[in-house]
Amino acid sequence: VRPASLMSSPVGANVLVRPQVWAKQVELNDAHLENQRVIGHVASDPSAKYFDMLRTPILQIMDAQNWQFLAVTSPTAACGKTLTAINLALSIARNAERTVLLVDLNLQNPQVARRLGLEGVEDSVGVLQGRLSLSDAVVQTHIGDTRLLVLPTEAALPGSSELMASRAMISMLQAIRLGFPSHIVIFDLPPVLAGDDVIAFLPHVDCAVLVAAVGVSSIQEIDECRRHLQETKVVRMVVNKVPMKSRL
């Protein structure tokens, strides 16, 4: 079943009239997810509890403030930012009363589609360039009873910072608010210090999670990120790659 009709905006991104049935539905492969360390959908996995513990206070804050848009970023690459975004999204989506849209806006190095095993999908760049509607690009994924909507990005894009600050981006975000009014929307962004993409995008989000990693992130890098994020509500800081002995 195709989605309902769409109306083009003046800047090329398309406004979504929310469909009842998504045209693209993909069943995720459990073995692939396990190989990629995606476990947020598995309530019985001991590691999933950490994402559940991250999920609950974030949702409490967002609900209290009536917030919808959550950014996930890191100081630099290799901090586990994308895995945190995916597992957090799946942890929230496990709750039958919650709906989640995960948007890959790491236009420098998109990873969400690969981590989830999505191949040959349309993506956010097509929406931003006016070639696609949101409903053509959004994929409804499911594994077991967990359903997660994903707006993927397949390939890196030159000039990403200009696109992050463009009128087309603003139009797409407005379309997301219109088409997904009851969804928590999680944006997987590039690292803060990898360019000005995140700085350009932060005014559009309600709050953020900063993901750092032991042995990867320095105190100086974290402090620099905090300066860039001082106008943004950072609801949680996540520290990955903590040695097992340090957890005891």
Side-chain angles (χ1 to χ4, degrees):
V1 179
R2 297 297 297 171
S5 61
L6 299 162
M7 178 176 62
S8 294
S9 74
V11 297
N14 292 300
V15 176
L16 171 69
V17 177
R18 192 176 179 188
Q20 296 299 313
V21 178
W22 290 92
K24 294 184 178 179
Q25 302 187 41
V26 175
E27 182 175 2
L28 301 177
N29 181 280
D30 192 56
H32 176 83
L33 296 183
E34 183 178 1
N35 182 60
Q36 294 294 318
R37 291 175 292 154
V38 174
I39 45 80
H41 59 292
V42 186
S44 60
D45 190 304
S47 296
K49 69 179 181 181
Y50 296 109
F51 296 103
D52 294 347
M53 293 170 67
L54 179 65
R55 167 193 68 188
T56 299
I58 289 176
L59 289 178
Q60 288 173 342
I61 294 171
M62 294 184 72
D63 289 346
Q65 299 294 329
N66 198 28
W67 287 344
Q68 183 184 14
F69 284 3
L70 171 69
V72 180
T73 186
S74 60
T76 60
C79 291
K81 164 187 63 65
T82 296
L83 275 176
T84 299
I86 293 173
N87 281 311
L88 174 61
L90 286 168
S91 175
I92 296 172
R94 276 205 340 263
N95 186 332
E97 297 181 353
R98 296 282 183 171
T99 49
V100 188
L101 171 64
L102 175 63
V103 182
D104 191 344
L105 283 185
N106 185 353
L107 304 183
Q108 299 179 13
N109 183 27
Q111 295 290 321
V112 170
R114 181 180 68 84
R115 292 285 190 180
L116 292 177
L118 302 178
E119 298 179 351
V121 293
E122 305 291 358
D123 67 0
S124 64
V125 176
V127 178
L128 291 168
Q129 293 177 343
R131 296 183 286 102
L132 295 170
S133 67
L134 261 178
S135 59
D136 284 333
V138 169
V139 181
Q140 179 177 277
T141 69
H142 62 93
I143 182 164
D145 295 329
T146 302
R147 281 168 169 70
L148 172 67
L149 292 179
V150 180
L151 178 56
T153 297
E154 285 212 291
L157 187 71
S160 58
S161 63
E162 289 81 5
L163 196 52
M164 295 289 269
S166 68
R167 291 178 62 214
M169 179 65 74
I170 293 172
S171 181
M172 188 178 81
L173 296 177
Q174 289 172 341
I176 289 174
R177 286 196 188 274
L178 175 65
F180 304 87
S182 62
H183 286 63
I184 294 293
V185 183
I186 298 177
F187 297 94
D188 182 31
L189 299 183
V192 174
L193 305 181
D196 62 341
D197 293 40
V198 173
I199 298 170
F201 190 77
L202 281 176
H204 303 304
V205 303
D206 300 309
C207 54
V209 171
L210 180 64
V211 181
V214 174
V216 177
S217 307
S218 68
I219 297 298
Q220 292 79 8
E221 289 169 339
I222 293 171
D223 287 342
E224 187 173 353
C225 286
R226 285 174 171 164
R227 286 193 292 272
H228 289 303
L229 295 168
Q230 62 184 347
E231 300 299 324
T232 304
K233 176 64 176 178
V234 178
V235 289
R236 280 296 181 273
M237 180 172 175
V238 175
V239 180
N240 281 329
K241 304 183 181 181
V242 179
M244 290 301 297
K245 288 183 179 180
S246 298
R247 301 180 186 180
L248 300 178

